[in-house]
Amino acid sequence: MDIFMNHQVTFWRPDSEVHEYHKLVVEEPLFIHLHNSPIYTTMRTPGDEIALAAGFCLSQGIINHPDDVESFDFDDKTAPNLVNVTLKSSARGKTGGRYKEGFEVHEPDRGCAERLIDELFRSVGPASDNHPIDIARAFECIDTLSDHQELRRFTRASHAAAAYSSHYDLLSVSEDVGRHNALDKSIGKLLLSGGLPQTAFLALSSRISFELVQKAARAHIPTIISVSRPTAFAVRLASKLNMTLACLAKGPGLYIFCGHHRLTDS
């Protein structure tokens, strides 16, 4: 399975706009089964699937030693998104299936990624175009995100998620060692304060993964601007949901991967 794909982007700078092709890291679901029963679904870059499953089982207390495992079954030709773990009889009975997280579990095949996208589309629908954003002002918000990262200034080891209104007011900002946690915190603040309807876009310190697009979509926030590039799967999902994804470019400027219509140039 490929780990890169080429994607055409619009490279905006204050004095020009050109089209370029960039490599995106591939993101695909991995289904971990225990004795042919699903226990966990995660998004990952293809490669080292057995190692990932082994590390997950160890960290979750499903196994304590490699000798607890009878086999890791993985076939990258027929089922590239599935690892089935079989424990030795002496190690069984350590889990009750409580590790199922993330997405609804599917029978894994080459169409499973599209079904994840279709399920989310049916759940939240396409984003509205009610929040157009001035691209230069949006660039300023992501370019100055570090100004709101006090923890990062001291530790250099945290991510940030900031939410802005269509008037470029900072509505919430959170830091966390995990990028998913930072976004959950920022969206949670908006939910509790009643600020979600006013939120026009997010500024993130990380790359944009499928899960981060999913979180923004469920919060009905149509635009994400980040420091690092999105994954290929994130672009596919955002395009389906009529969302806008962009990231910082060298120059300075922004790379716009989808939803260019929402970013205006005044």
Side-chain angles (χ1 to χ4, degrees):
M1 188 180 296
D2 293 334
I3 61 172
F4 295 107
M5 67 165 287
N6 289 320
H7 183 83
Q8 187 181 49
V9 304
T10 302
F11 181 15
W12 173 88
R13 290 184 292 187
D15 59 350
S16 65
E17 185 174 290
V18 297
H19 297 291
E20 298 180 353
Y21 279 91
H22 286 251
K23 290 186 180 297
L24 298 181
V25 62
V26 170
E27 187 181 36
E28 292 283 343
L30 179 68
F31 303 88
I32 299 177
H33 288 194
L34 183 64
H35 305 140
N36 296 308
S37 295
I39 58 170
Y40 188 67
T41 306
T42 188
M43 302 303 298
R44 97 295 187 194
T45 297
D48 296 325
E49 284 81 5
I50 291 177
L52 192 160
F56 169 80
C57 289
L58 180 63
S59 68
Q60 296 296 328
I62 298 172
I63 63 174
N64 295 315
H65 192 274
D67 288 342
D68 291 338
V69 179
E70 182 175 305
S71 66
F72 291 101
D73 298 312
F74 173 71
D75 189 333
D76 62 354
K77 297 295 190 295
T78 61
N81 294 317
L82 169 65
V83 175
N84 183 61
V85 183
T86 302
L87 303 183
K88 293 181 179 177
S89 57
S90 59
R92 298 189 181 191
K94 295 183 179 180
T95 176
R98 63 187 180 276
Y99 302 103
K100 191 188 300 180
E101 299 177 4
F103 309 107
E104 180 180 336
V105 174
H106 303 274
E107 285 302 315
D109 57 35
R110 294 192 180 276
C112 61
E114 290 305 321
R115 287 201 295 273
L116 292 175
I117 292 175
D118 289 342
E119 284 177 4
L120 190 57
F121 181 82
R122 289 194 298 270
S123 176
V124 304
S128 71
D129 293 327
N130 294 338
H131 292 296
I133 302 168
D134 181 88
I135 192 169
R137 295 291 301 275
F139 169 73
E140 291 175 6
C141 291
I142 188 65
D143 194 42
T144 60
L145 179 61
S146 60
D147 294 347
H148 306 290
Q149 294 182 255
E150 182 178 4
L151 183 60
R152 178 180 178 273
R153 285 199 294 272
F154 288 104
T155 67
R156 312 296 294 181
S158 68
H159 282 294
Y164 290 86
S165 73
S166 55
H167 300 291
Y168 316 99
D169 298 318
L170 180 63
L171 300 179
S172 72
V173 62
S174 298
E175 286 187 277
D176 194 279
V177 292
R179 54 198 172 86
H180 299 86
N181 296 341
L183 181 54
D184 282 338
K185 289 178 181 179
S186 196
I187 289 176
K189 291 177 183 178
L190 295 168
L191 179 66
L192 295 173
S193 67
L196 272 179
Q198 290 76 49
T199 306
F201 66 99
L202 298 167
L204 306 181
S205 65
S206 66
R207 66 181 175 88
I208 307 173
S209 65
F210 178 96
E211 293 98 331
L212 298 186
V213 174
Q214 181 188 40
K215 292 175 188 295
R218 292 196 182 279
H220 299 287
I221 303 172
T223 299
I224 304 175
I225 304 172
S226 64
V227 172
S228 299
R229 298 181 187 183
T231 66
F233 202 4
V235 173
R236 286 164 59 190
L237 175 61
S239 298
K240 176 79 171 182
L241 297 178
N242 189 40
M243 294 175 65
T244 300
L245 300 186
C247 76
L248 282 178
K250 296 179 181 179
L254 294 175
Y255 292 127
I256 305 163
F257 294 86
C258 58
H260 185 283
H261 64 282
R262 197 173 278 110
L263 298 176
T264 64
D265 194 344
S266 60

